[in-house]
Amino acid sequence: MTSLLDGIEIDLDRVQVALDGSRWLWTFEHTEGGEPLMLRIDVAGAAILPLPDVYIAHGPLTPERQPVTAAQYRQVLEAA
């Protein structure tokens, strides 16, 4: 699922990393106003905030990098 925040599409199915390094995951719940609720999942402790509040308090979000799989390596090498 995705959500629009200030014209930027946020992929809620992936862990999001804020500018300050905090890591956030969608709880699959929404506020009464329809904003996604995000759970902080790093060592600083758990917190639940609406997506816009995470953005304001912790900075812009980017999806966490995912490791490249062996299948992806094979696909690239076979295409070359």
Side-chain angles (χ1 to χ4, degrees):
M1 179 173 180
T2 60
S3 180
L4 278 178
L5 181 63
D6 290 339
I8 299 170
E9 193 171 274
I10 306 290
D11 183 356
L12 298 175
D13 295 325
R14 293 181 60 187
V15 172
Q16 298 293 320
V17 180
L19 184 63
D20 68 359
S22 58
R23 298 172 64 236
W24 298 86
L25 185 63
W26 181 39
T27 64
F28 293 92
E29 296 180 12
H30 293 85
T31 65
E32 289 181 12
E35 299 294 342
L37 287 172
M38 305 297 287
L39 172 67
R40 186 171 185 168
I41 57 170
D42 56 28
V43 295
I48 296 178
L49 294 173
L51 180 59
D53 293 357
V54 172
Y55 185 82
I56 291 167
H58 300 278
L61 301 169
T62 57
E64 185 172 68
R65 290 179 149 224
Q66 296 178 330
V68 178
T69 65
Q72 291 169 323
Y73 277 120
R74 269 193 305 278
Q75 184 179 13
V76 168
L77 292 174
E78 289 171 357

